[in-house]
Amino acid sequence: MVKTNNQHIILPAFIKAVEVEASDNVGSHNKFTPRKFHLLQPLRKRLDNIEIKNRDFAHFIAKMIPAQCPFERDLILFGRKIAHIPPLCKLNPLYDEFVGLRFRALCYLVDECGEDIQSYC
C-alpha cells in the first residue's frame, strides 16, 4: 500500500495486471504465433521522416494537401438518396501523416522563412 497526501492507494490489482501482461508477452514470441504485419507502416515512417528544408517544397506541400477534410455528400436522384460518400479523410489510411507533413511545411514557412501563411488556412 502506498500513502500519498494522507490517502491510501492500493496497487496490487494494477501490479498483478502488469505482471500478467509481461508474462503473456514473453510467451507470445514462439514460432506458432502469427506475427502482425502492417502493410502501410514503412510508408507512414517515410512520410513522418520527410524534412522540409526548401521553401518551394514547403509551398508545394501546403498547396497540395488540403487544410481540412473534404466534405461528405449524399447523391440524390429524383428526390431519392442513391449513395452516400463519406468524408474522404476516413478513406485515406495515411491522412494523419499527410496532415503532419503539411503542418511541418507551414511551420517551416513561418519559422525559417518568416512568411505569412494565412492564404493556406
Side-chain angles (χ1 to χ4, degrees):
M1 190 175 319
V2 179
K3 188 173 182 182
T4 60
N5 296 338
N6 297 327
Q7 295 178 351
H8 296 287
I9 299 174
I10 301 173
L11 297 175
F14 174 75
I15 294 171
K16 283 286 189 189
V18 171
E19 289 174 2
V20 170
E21 279 184 20
S23 65
D24 287 346
N25 288 341
V26 171
S28 67
H29 295 303
N30 63 19
K31 61 183 178 182
F32 299 113
T33 305
R35 299 180 109 188
K36 291 183 180 179
F37 179 71
H38 300 285
L39 186 63
L40 296 175
Q41 193 62 28
L43 188 55
R44 285 187 175 130
K45 286 183 180 179
R46 199 166 201 183
L47 284 172
D48 284 337
N49 290 332
I50 293 176
E51 293 184 24
I52 312 295
K53 295 183 179 179
N54 185 348
R55 178 182 293 199
D56 294 332
F57 184 57
H59 281 290
F60 174 75
I61 288 175
K63 288 179 186 175
M64 292 304 294
I65 299 173
Q68 50 186 303
C69 186
F71 53 93
E72 59 186 322
R73 290 188 179 193
D74 290 327
L75 298 178
I76 299 174
L77 184 64
F78 301 119
R80 300 191 80 179
K81 181 177 166 183
I82 295 174
H84 175 76
I85 300 173
L88 297 179
C89 59
K90 295 190 180 193
L91 299 176
N92 185 357
L94 300 172
Y95 179 74
D96 293 332
E97 286 76 16
F98 283 127
V99 169
L101 182 62
R102 183 178 195 275
F103 179 73
R104 289 193 309 270
L106 293 175
C107 287
Y108 175 81
L109 289 173
V110 170
D111 296 340
E112 302 295 324
C113 303
E115 292 189 19
D116 182 27
I117 58 166
Q118 256 184 334
S119 62
Y120 294 115
C121 297

